[in-house]
Amino acid sequence: MLGGFIVAAGAVAIPVAPASAGTLGEAAITRESSGKCSETDRRIVRQAFDAWRKGTGSVTDVFAPDIVWRIEGRSLISKVYRGKQQFMNEVMLPFVARFDKSPYPFRPSINAVLCEGDTVIVYWDGRGIANDGRPYENSYAWFMKMRNGKVVYGTAFYDSIAFNDLWTRVRPSR
């Protein structure tokens, strides 16, 4: 283990939670990798972010039904979500509902899309005006393991202080 990542010779580094966060579970997976990026996976993820930015779709459109999604850190929603529906119900829908009455809803802007083997990493910024009229800005890094064109495992990092402020300040409109 090196700096919060599991590393094995010839394997992809997979971020893991500190020991105090509980068992490693799915995060302890390592796999052999050719090191080659899947341009198809990179394109699929970029298109999903583009649809989200345009308001014509959601990044979760490429999440597998049985996805395991881990939100790192100490934000109010940091934990492991098992299944797309749990993630949608507890994170995405309440999050989006904090912006849906605004003329400037939350939208992502990609800084970089990187990949190695079956893992796509997106470094992105999100901005919007919340329902209370105040701006929300945050930077995110999402690590997504792909299988058959779908995200099957993900880990998210972001500024939890900015997120917690939004989450406690603005009630979802739905």
Short mmCIF file of all heavy atoms in Angstrom, two decimals, residues 47-79:
data_model
loop_
_atom_site.label_atom_id
_atom_site.label_comp_id
_atom_site.label_asym_id
_atom_site.label_seq_id
_atom_site.Cartn_x
_atom_site.Cartn_y
_atom_site.Cartn_z
N GLN A 47 -18.72 11.44 -23.26
CA GLN A 47 -20.05 11.71 -23.82
C GLN A 47 -21.11 11.84 -22.72
O GLN A 47 -22.01 12.68 -22.82
CB GLN A 47 -20.43 10.63 -24.83
CG GLN A 47 -19.67 10.73 -26.12
CD GLN A 47 -19.93 9.55 -27.05
OE1 GLN A 47 -20.45 8.51 -26.66
NE2 GLN A 47 -19.54 9.72 -28.31
N ALA A 48 -21.00 11.02 -21.67
CA ALA A 48 -21.95 11.10 -20.56
C ALA A 48 -21.81 12.44 -19.84
O ALA A 48 -22.82 13.08 -19.50
CB ALA A 48 -21.74 9.94 -19.59
N PHE A 49 -20.58 12.91 -19.62
CA PHE A 49 -20.37 14.21 -19.00
C PHE A 49 -20.87 15.33 -19.91
O PHE A 49 -21.45 16.31 -19.44
CB PHE A 49 -18.89 14.42 -18.65
CG PHE A 49 -18.52 13.98 -17.26
CD1 PHE A 49 -18.15 12.67 -17.01
CD2 PHE A 49 -18.54 14.87 -16.20
CE1 PHE A 49 -17.81 12.26 -15.73
CE2 PHE A 49 -18.20 14.47 -14.92
CZ PHE A 49 -17.83 13.16 -14.68
N ASP A 50 -20.63 15.21 -21.22
CA ASP A 50 -21.11 16.23 -22.16
C ASP A 50 -22.64 16.33 -22.14
O ASP A 50 -23.20 17.42 -22.17
CB ASP A 50 -20.63 15.94 -23.58
CG ASP A 50 -19.14 16.22 -23.78
OD1 ASP A 50 -18.55 16.92 -22.93
OD2 ASP A 50 -18.58 15.73 -24.78
N ALA A 51 -23.31 15.18 -22.09
CA ALA A 51 -24.78 15.18 -22.02
C ALA A 51 -25.25 15.83 -20.73
O ALA A 51 -26.23 16.60 -20.73
CB ALA A 51 -25.32 13.76 -22.14
N TRP A 52 -24.57 15.58 -19.63
CA TRP A 52 -24.91 16.19 -18.35
C TRP A 52 -24.72 17.71 -18.43
O TRP A 52 -25.60 18.47 -18.02
CB TRP A 52 -24.04 15.59 -17.26
CG TRP A 52 -24.35 16.00 -15.85
CD1 TRP A 52 -25.49 16.61 -15.40
CD2 TRP A 52 -23.52 15.81 -14.72
NE1 TRP A 52 -25.39 16.82 -14.03
CE2 TRP A 52 -24.19 16.33 -13.59
CE3 TRP A 52 -22.26 15.25 -14.54
CZ2 TRP A 52 -23.65 16.32 -12.31
CZ3 TRP A 52 -21.72 15.22 -13.26
CH2 TRP A 52 -22.41 15.75 -12.17
N ARG A 53 -23.60 18.14 -19.00
CA ARG A 53 -23.32 19.56 -19.14
C ARG A 53 -24.39 20.26 -19.98
O ARG A 53 -24.83 21.36 -19.66
CB ARG A 53 -21.94 19.78 -19.76
CG ARG A 53 -21.55 21.24 -19.93
CD ARG A 53 -20.17 21.40 -20.55
NE ARG A 53 -19.96 20.59 -21.74
CZ ARG A 53 -20.41 20.88 -22.96
NH1 ARG A 53 -21.14 21.94 -23.15
NH2 ARG A 53 -20.16 20.09 -23.97
N LYS A 54 -24.84 19.61 -21.04
CA LYS A 54 -25.85 20.18 -21.94
C LYS A 54 -27.27 20.07 -21.38
O LYS A 54 -28.20 20.66 -21.93
CB LYS A 54 -25.79 19.49 -23.30
CG LYS A 54 -24.51 19.75 -24.05
CD LYS A 54 -24.46 18.90 -25.32
CE LYS A 54 -23.13 19.04 -26.02
NZ LYS A 54 -23.02 18.11 -27.15
N GLY A 55 -27.44 19.27 -20.34
CA GLY A 55 -28.77 19.06 -19.78
C GLY A 55 -29.60 18.07 -20.56
O GLY A 55 -30.82 18.01 -20.40
N THR A 56 -28.94 17.24 -21.38
CA THR A 56 -29.65 16.25 -22.20
C THR A 56 -29.52 14.83 -21.66
O THR A 56 -30.05 13.89 -22.26
CB THR A 56 -29.14 16.28 -23.65
OG1 THR A 56 -27.74 15.98 -23.66
CG2 THR A 56 -29.39 17.64 -24.28
N GLY A 57 -28.82 14.67 -20.55
CA GLY A 57 -28.61 13.35 -19.97
C GLY A 57 -27.91 13.49 -18.64
O GLY A 57 -27.76 14.60 -18.12
N SER A 58 -27.49 12.38 -18.10
CA SER A 58 -26.80 12.36 -16.81
C SER A 58 -25.59 11.45 -16.90
O SER A 58 -25.60 10.46 -17.64
CB SER A 58 -27.74 11.85 -15.72
OG SER A 58 -27.03 11.65 -14.51
N VAL A 59 -24.58 11.77 -16.15
CA VAL A 59 -23.41 10.90 -16.11
C VAL A 59 -23.81 9.52 -15.59
O VAL A 59 -23.21 8.51 -15.96
CB VAL A 59 -22.28 11.54 -15.26
CG1 VAL A 59 -22.65 11.57 -13.79
CG2 VAL A 59 -20.96 10.83 -15.49
N THR A 60 -24.84 9.45 -14.76
CA THR A 60 -25.27 8.16 -14.22
C THR A 60 -25.92 7.27 -15.28
O THR A 60 -26.16 6.10 -15.01
CB THR A 60 -26.23 8.36 -13.03
OG1 THR A 60 -27.37 9.10 -13.47
CG2 THR A 60 -25.55 9.08 -11.88
N ASP A 61 -26.15 7.80 -16.47
CA ASP A 61 -26.67 6.96 -17.56
C ASP A 61 -25.71 5.83 -17.90
O ASP A 61 -26.13 4.81 -18.44
CB ASP A 61 -26.94 7.80 -18.82
CG ASP A 61 -28.09 8.78 -18.64
OD1 ASP A 61 -28.87 8.64 -17.67
OD2 ASP A 61 -28.19 9.71 -19.47
N VAL A 62 -24.42 5.99 -17.57
CA VAL A 62 -23.44 4.94 -17.87
C VAL A 62 -23.06 4.14 -16.62
O VAL A 62 -22.11 3.37 -16.65
CB VAL A 62 -22.17 5.52 -18.57
CG1 VAL A 62 -22.53 6.10 -19.91
CG2 VAL A 62 -21.44 6.52 -17.70
N PHE A 63 -23.80 4.31 -15.54
CA PHE A 63 -23.56 3.52 -14.33
C PHE A 63 -24.29 2.19 -14.46
O PHE A 63 -25.46 2.15 -14.84
CB PHE A 63 -24.09 4.24 -13.09
CG PHE A 63 -23.23 5.37 -12.59
CD1 PHE A 63 -22.21 5.92 -13.34
CD2 PHE A 63 -23.46 5.90 -11.34
CE1 PHE A 63 -21.44 6.97 -12.87
CE2 PHE A 63 -22.69 6.94 -10.84
CZ PHE A 63 -21.68 7.48 -11.61
N ALA A 64 -23.61 1.10 -14.13
CA ALA A 64 -24.23 -0.22 -14.12
C ALA A 64 -25.24 -0.29 -12.98
O ALA A 64 -25.08 0.37 -11.94
CB ALA A 64 -23.17 -1.31 -13.93
N PRO A 65 -26.32 -1.07 -13.13
CA PRO A 65 -27.32 -1.18 -12.06
C PRO A 65 -26.72 -1.62 -10.73
O PRO A 65 -27.17 -1.20 -9.67
CB PRO A 65 -28.31 -2.22 -12.59
CG PRO A 65 -28.14 -2.20 -14.07
CD PRO A 65 -26.69 -1.86 -14.32
N ASP A 66 -25.69 -2.46 -10.77
CA ASP A 66 -25.08 -2.98 -9.54
C ASP A 66 -23.78 -2.27 -9.17
O ASP A 66 -22.95 -2.83 -8.45
CB ASP A 66 -24.86 -4.49 -9.66
CG ASP A 66 -23.94 -4.86 -10.82
OD1 ASP A 66 -23.66 -3.99 -11.69
OD2 ASP A 66 -23.50 -6.02 -10.87
N ILE A 67 -23.61 -1.04 -9.62
CA ILE A 67 -22.40 -0.28 -9.33
C ILE A 67 -22.14 -0.20 -7.82
O ILE A 67 -23.07 -0.19 -7.02
CB ILE A 67 -22.51 1.15 -9.91
CG1 ILE A 67 -21.17 1.89 -9.80
CG2 ILE A 67 -23.63 1.93 -9.23
CD1 ILE A 67 -21.14 3.23 -10.53
N VAL A 68 -20.87 -0.16 -7.47
CA VAL A 68 -20.45 0.14 -6.11
C VAL A 68 -19.75 1.49 -6.21
O VAL A 68 -18.77 1.64 -6.96
CB VAL A 68 -19.49 -0.94 -5.54
CG1 VAL A 68 -18.97 -0.52 -4.17
CG2 VAL A 68 -20.21 -2.28 -5.46
N TRP A 69 -20.27 2.49 -5.50
CA TRP A 69 -19.74 3.86 -5.59
C TRP A 69 -19.33 4.30 -4.18
O TRP A 69 -20.13 4.26 -3.26
CB TRP A 69 -20.81 4.81 -6.14
CG TRP A 69 -20.26 6.15 -6.47
CD1 TRP A 69 -20.31 7.26 -5.67
CD2 TRP A 69 -19.58 6.54 -7.66
NE1 TRP A 69 -19.69 8.31 -6.30
CE2 TRP A 69 -19.23 7.89 -7.52
CE3 TRP A 69 -19.24 5.86 -8.82
CZ2 TRP A 69 -18.55 8.59 -8.52
CZ3 TRP A 69 -18.57 6.56 -9.81
CH2 TRP A 69 -18.23 7.90 -9.66
N ARG A 70 -18.08 4.70 -4.06
CA ARG A 70 -17.53 5.12 -2.76
C ARG A 70 -17.26 6.62 -2.81
O ARG A 70 -16.56 7.09 -3.71
CB ARG A 70 -16.24 4.37 -2.47
CG ARG A 70 -15.56 4.80 -1.18
CD ARG A 70 -14.21 4.12 -0.98
NE ARG A 70 -14.34 2.70 -0.80
CZ ARG A 70 -14.53 2.09 0.37
NH1 ARG A 70 -14.62 2.81 1.46
NH2 ARG A 70 -14.63 0.79 0.44
N ILE A 71 -17.80 7.35 -1.85
CA ILE A 71 -17.48 8.76 -1.70
C ILE A 71 -16.52 8.86 -0.52
O ILE A 71 -16.88 8.54 0.62
CB ILE A 71 -18.74 9.62 -1.48
CG1 ILE A 71 -19.65 9.52 -2.71
CG2 ILE A 71 -18.35 11.07 -1.19
CD1 ILE A 71 -20.95 10.27 -2.60
N GLU A 72 -15.31 9.28 -0.82
CA GLU A 72 -14.26 9.37 0.18
C GLU A 72 -14.39 10.63 1.02
O GLU A 72 -15.13 11.55 0.67
CB GLU A 72 -12.88 9.37 -0.51
CG GLU A 72 -12.55 8.06 -1.20
CD GLU A 72 -12.31 6.92 -0.24
OE1 GLU A 72 -12.16 7.14 0.99
OE2 GLU A 72 -12.28 5.77 -0.71
N GLY A 73 -13.67 10.67 2.10
CA GLY A 73 -13.60 11.85 2.93
C GLY A 73 -14.59 11.82 4.07
O GLY A 73 -15.05 10.77 4.50
N ARG A 74 -14.94 13.04 4.52
CA ARG A 74 -15.80 13.16 5.68
C ARG A 74 -17.01 14.05 5.40
O ARG A 74 -17.50 14.75 6.28
CB ARG A 74 -15.00 13.71 6.86
CG ARG A 74 -13.94 12.73 7.33
CD ARG A 74 -13.33 13.18 8.63
NE ARG A 74 -12.48 12.13 9.16
CZ ARG A 74 -11.17 12.14 9.11
NH1 ARG A 74 -10.55 13.15 8.56
NH2 ARG A 74 -10.48 11.15 9.61
N SER A 75 -17.48 14.03 4.16
CA SER A 75 -18.67 14.81 3.86
C SER A 75 -19.89 14.12 4.46
O SER A 75 -19.81 12.97 4.90
CB SER A 75 -18.84 15.00 2.35
OG SER A 75 -19.43 13.87 1.76
N LEU A 76 -21.00 14.81 4.44
CA LEU A 76 -22.23 14.26 5.00
C LEU A 76 -22.75 13.04 4.25
O LEU A 76 -23.59 12.31 4.77
CB LEU A 76 -23.31 15.35 5.05
CG LEU A 76 -22.97 16.52 5.98
CD1 LEU A 76 -23.97 17.66 5.80
CD2 LEU A 76 -22.91 16.06 7.43
N ILE A 77 -22.26 12.82 3.03
CA ILE A 77 -22.72 11.66 2.26
C ILE A 77 -21.59 10.67 1.97
O ILE A 77 -21.75 9.77 1.15
CB ILE A 77 -23.39 12.11 0.94
CG1 ILE A 77 -22.42 12.87 0.05
CG2 ILE A 77 -24.65 12.90 1.24
CD1 ILE A 77 -22.91 13.09 -1.36
N SER A 78 -20.45 10.81 2.65
CA SER A 78 -19.32 9.90 2.44
C SER A 78 -19.65 8.52 2.98
O SER A 78 -19.94 8.36 4.17
CB SER A 78 -18.06 10.44 3.13
OG SER A 78 -17.61 11.61 2.50
N LYS A 79 -19.67 7.56 2.08
CA LYS A 79 -19.89 6.16 2.43
C LYS A 79 -19.85 5.35 1.14
O LYS A 79 -19.61 5.89 0.06
CB LYS A 79 -21.21 5.94 3.16
CG LYS A 79 -22.46 6.12 2.31
CD LYS A 79 -23.71 5.81 3.15
CE LYS A 79 -24.93 5.64 2.31
NZ LYS A 79 -26.11 5.25 3.09
#
